[in-house]
Each structure stands twice: as structure tokens, then as C-alpha cells.
Amino acid sequence: DTAVSQTPKYLVTQMGNDKSIKCEQNLGHDTMYWYKQDSKKFLKIMFSYNNKELIINETVPNRFSPKSPDKAHLNLHINSLELGDSAVYFCASSQDQGYYGYTFGSGTRLTVV
Amino acid sequence: GDSVTQMEGPVTLSEEAFLTINCTYTATGYPSLFWYVQYPGEGLQLLLKATKADDKGSNKGFEATYRKETTSFHLEKGSVQVSDSAVYFCALNYNNNDMRFGAGTRLTVKP
């Protein structure tokens, strides 16, 4: 039973397309996150939601829009994809806003061609 | 702002060698500190944590001690195995903000 699951695992798409990545957690955690990992493995926080409410929105192009229909789901929609969006995107969740650590999904490798 | 700095890699060791990966932090208060491990093609997994000064986190033979006086949380293992080859991330969480990660250190263990 996967704790934090993301779909799809791989996504190859053309520039200019719109795509979504879905994330679900079954841990009962109250906070969910999206991170972007570049080719050098550097991790950057993009968004954080606590009980469906946006609490962190880092400097991310407004082509990226998170949506949290309930506290177990956090989806990421990306409009007008660009080559520079190619990366691995990780969803994570935590209880108590991360005091005891995060649980990560296995990632979505996005390749824009 | 709050941040962590960890030693640059890559680190290459022979099996059964001793491992140290250095990590220091900058924070205005007393953060929780973490080590995560990322195996090839996978997400990050929490390896160990410490939530207050002098705490020692340990898991799978890895250890790290929260040292307030040196603002450090170095990761150690007495005898590494080939299966320990991965990227290791030091991280901190302070005042319920987002987790701040170091740049990652790639470890390769050769038989």
C-alpha cells in the first residue's frame, strides 16, 4: 500500500502543451508539498498546502498551478510547458508541518521536447 | 535565512570503509535536523532525524548527532556496503516552515 503515490511516473510532452501530475497520500497527513529536483539533484520547494489551504508559494512561474480538492490529494497543473520545465517533480506529505519529517512519492520525470 | 550546507560529492569508497558526510546548518532557533537518502530512480526516504540538541538519530547502521555548539549534523557509518550507494541529503525544518535541503552528496561504494 503506497503511502504517497504520484502519477504518471514518466511524462514526455511537447513544448506548449498543458499537463497535470496527480498526488495522493493515505497517511492522514495534514500538509502536502510539491518539490522540483533539477538534473544536479537540487531540490526546490514549489508549493505547500495545509488542510487544502495554500501556505507556501515560492517564486514559481504562474504557469504552475496547484490544486488540492481534499487534504489527501494535491495535483500540479502546468500550462504552456517549456524546455526548462524538464525535471523530476516530487510530491511529499507530513504531519505537524514536518516536525518529524516528510514522506515522499517516487517522483514524476517530466521531459519537455 | 535557514539553510544547510553539506559536503560536495561525489564520494567514492570501498566496501567496509568508514563514511562521514559533513553537514552544517544556519538557523535562528533550534530546528529539527534530518538525513534523507535517495536511491537511483526513487524518491527521498527519511533515513534518520534528531529534534533537539545532543540527540542522536540512527537507522540501518547510520548515525548523526545534533551538535548545537558546532551547528552540525554529520552522517556516519562504520562499514559501508555497495547497497548504500545513493544520494544523501541533509535537511532542516524550523518553526514549521518548509524543509530546507542541502545540495545532496552522491556516494558510490565499490566492491
Side-chain angles (χ1 to χ4, degrees):
Chain A
D1 216 15
T2 306
V4 180
S5 59
Q6 295 179 229
T7 53
K9 190 167 174 65
Y10 300 98
L11 185 53
V12 181
T13 188
Q14 291 190 325
M15 274 186 356
N17 283 351
D18 303 339
K19 290 292 178 187
S20 292
I21 307 172
K22 295 179 187 276
C23 179
E24 175 181 4
Q25 55 97 1
N26 63 6
L27 298 167
H29 287 171
D30 56 18
T31 308
M32 296 183 73
Y33 313 84
W34 279 110
Y35 277 83
K36 179 180 180 180
Q37 186 176 48
D38 64 23
S39 58
K40 295 186 178 178
K41 300 293 187 184
F42 183 72
L43 280 156
K44 178 178 161 56
I45 181 76
M46 300 174 71
F47 302 103
S48 168
Y49 267 77
N50 179 262
N51 283 319
K52 295 170 44 181
E53 190 176 331
L54 180 66
I55 57 172
I56 291 175
N57 182 1
E58 291 292 308
T59 306
V60 173
N62 58 14
R63 299 180 294 103
F64 290 80
S65 54
K67 290 239 173 18
S68 182
D70 55 61
K71 75 173 196 175
H73 295 83
L74 180 62
N75 303 323
L76 183 66
H77 189 76
I78 317 169
N79 288 327
S80 304
L81 278 153
E82 300 178 356
L83 292 177
D85 298 331
S86 296
V88 181
Y89 292 84
F90 286 102
C91 178
S93 71
S94 74
Q95 190 60 27
D96 298 325
Q97 292 180 288
Y99 182 76
Y100 297 105
Y102 289 6
T103 303
F104 280 82
S106 57
T108 296
R109 182 176 292 277
L110 171 65
T111 304
V112 183
V113 297
Chain B
D2 303 340
S3 65
V4 291
T5 303
Q6 60 183 106
M7 65 186 278
E8 286 189 29
V11 174
T12 303
L13 296 172
S14 297
E15 211 165 20
E16 299 183 5
F18 185 85
L19 169 71
T20 301
I21 301 177
N22 290 338
C23 172
T24 57
Y25 68 89
T26 302
T28 51
Y30 303 106
S32 295
L33 299 173
F34 306 85
W35 278 100
Y36 288 82
V37 58
Q38 184 178 26
Y39 299 104
E42 297 184 14
L44 279 74
Q45 300 174 25
L46 180 62
L47 181 60
L48 53 84
K49 64 180 183 288
T51 56
K52 62 183 189 295
D54 300 324
D55 268 2
K56 178 187 280 189
S58 61
N59 187 22
K60 299 181 182 179
F62 291 89
E63 292 183 340
T65 302
Y66 190 140
R67 303 267 186 220
K68 190 179 72 165
E69 62 277 10
T70 53
T71 61
S72 65
F73 193 56
H74 304 321
L75 181 69
E76 296 182 337
K77 186 175 185 183
S79 175
V80 292
Q81 306 300 312
V82 172
S83 58
D84 293 326
S85 298
V87 181
Y88 292 81
F89 292 89
C90 186
L92 69 78
N93 181 287
Y94 173 63
N95 202 27
N96 296 331
N97 287 322
D98 60 287
M99 191 80 63
R100 302 292 171 95
F101 289 89
T105 302
R106 183 181 297 278
L107 169 67
T108 301
V109 181
K110 299 196 169 178

